[in-house]
């Protein structure tokens, strides 16, 4: 899997293009802004977009959604607990977007030879999810390098965040972590050094 990170918008949200190099089929994860940048990368690399995945419904992860959907014809997916988010998350209701589908815990999607699996990880928002593909976790605004997502927005819940962080920490083995903002990490590093993950595991740092 080839992963291209495109920081977009004034909050520098990480939009990821995850590509099966053998087929050039790809998934777009969190098209937050600057659809021209996202689409230029797709076109210049002759990629075929099979799906658009949203880790959650906040505006900085969704503003380029309609433009990317229209240009690629690809279906998009969001957890049902964020699809009715409305103005508290985005300047337009996500539920009004034609071609936006719901996904939930345990759902799996094939993109070429890649398989993306949905893990529900609420806390930052009620419908936050993490996407697992091969040895990679796309964690949205749940798990960051050295931190976790804010829970003081409408729908945020620190107790749920702790449960979600514990759940990710308990995954068997190590994974690369690609968050919604800033630098990538590994789950092993976060288990060892991330204050919030350590607290979620009932330990003191």
């Amino acid at each position: 899997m080839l992963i291209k990170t495109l920081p977009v918008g004034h909050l520098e949200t990480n939009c990821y293009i995850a590509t099966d190099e053998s087929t050039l089929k790809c998934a777009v994860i969190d098209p937050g802004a600057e659809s021209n940048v996202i689409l230029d990368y797709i076109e210049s690399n002759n990629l075929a977009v099979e799906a658009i995945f949203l880790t959650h419904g906040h505006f900085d992860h969704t503003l380029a959604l309609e433009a990317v959907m229209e240009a690629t014809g690809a279906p998009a997916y969001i957890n049902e607990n964020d699809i009715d988010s409305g103005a508290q998350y985005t300047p337009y209701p996500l539920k009004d977007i034609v071609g936006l589908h719901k996904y939930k815990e345990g759902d799996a999607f094939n993109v070429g030879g890649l398989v993306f699996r949905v893990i529900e990880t609420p806390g930052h928002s009620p419908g936050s999810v993490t996407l697992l593909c091969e040895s990679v976790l796309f964690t949205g605004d749940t798990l960051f390098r050295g931190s976790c997502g804010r829970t003081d927005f409408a729908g945020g819940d620190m107790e749920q965040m702790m449960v979600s962080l514990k759940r990710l920490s308990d995954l068997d083995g190590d994974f690369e972590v690609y968050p919604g903002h800033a630098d990538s990490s590994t789950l092993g590093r976060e288990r060892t050094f991330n204050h919030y993950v350590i607290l979620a595991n009932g330990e003191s740092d």
Side-chain angles (χ1 to χ4, degrees), residues 3 8 10 22-23 28 55 74 101-102 111-112 116 118 128 162 165:
I3 301 172
V8 295
H10 68 283
S22 65
T23 64
V28 177
T55 61
H101 306 282
K102 300 174 184 179
V111 175
F116 291 82
V118 178
S128 286
M162 290 292 105
L165 293 176

Side-chain angles (χ1 to χ4, degrees), residues 61-89:
H61 293 251
T62 63
L63 281 178
L65 174 61
E66 287 187 288
V68 174
M69 289 177 69
E70 181 177 352
T72 63
Y77 300 87
I78 189 171
N79 184 265
E80 63 181 352
N81 291 320
D82 269 14
I83 201 167
D84 292 321
S85 54
Q88 65 178 328
Y89 292 124

Side-chain angles (χ1 to χ4, degrees), residues 17 34-35 37 59 65 69-70 74 110 127 132 187 193:
I17 315 294
E34 299 180 59
S35 60
V37 173
F59 76 94
L65 174 61
M69 289 177 69
E70 181 177 352
N110 295 315
L132 186 157
L187 193 56
F193 297 110

Side-chain angles (χ1 to χ4, degrees), residues 84-170:
D84 292 321
S85 54
Q88 65 178 328
Y89 292 124
T90 62
Y92 53 85
L94 293 173
K95 64 182 179 181
D96 292 342
I97 298 177
V98 176
L100 180 60
H101 306 282
K102 300 174 184 179
Y103 58 13
K104 63 184 185 304
E105 174 73 30
D107 284 348
F109 299 86
N110 295 315
V111 175
L114 305 175
V115 180
F116 291 82
R117 303 183 188 280
V118 178
I119 303 172
E120 293 182 356
T121 50
H124 180 65
S125 71
S128 286
V129 304
T130 291
L131 298 162
L132 186 157
C133 184
E134 297 183 342
S135 60
V136 174
L137 296 170
F138 298 97
T139 57
D141 287 4
T142 297
L143 176 62
F144 295 136
R145 182 183 179 93
S147 188
C148 69
R150 294 176 59 169
T151 60
D152 57 337
F153 296 130
D157 187 307
M158 181 55 80
E159 289 187 9
Q160 285 188 328
M161 177 65 79
M162 290 292 105
V163 172
S164 294
L165 293 176
K166 177 71 162 60
R167 188 169 185 214
L168 293 178
S169 179
D170 285 346

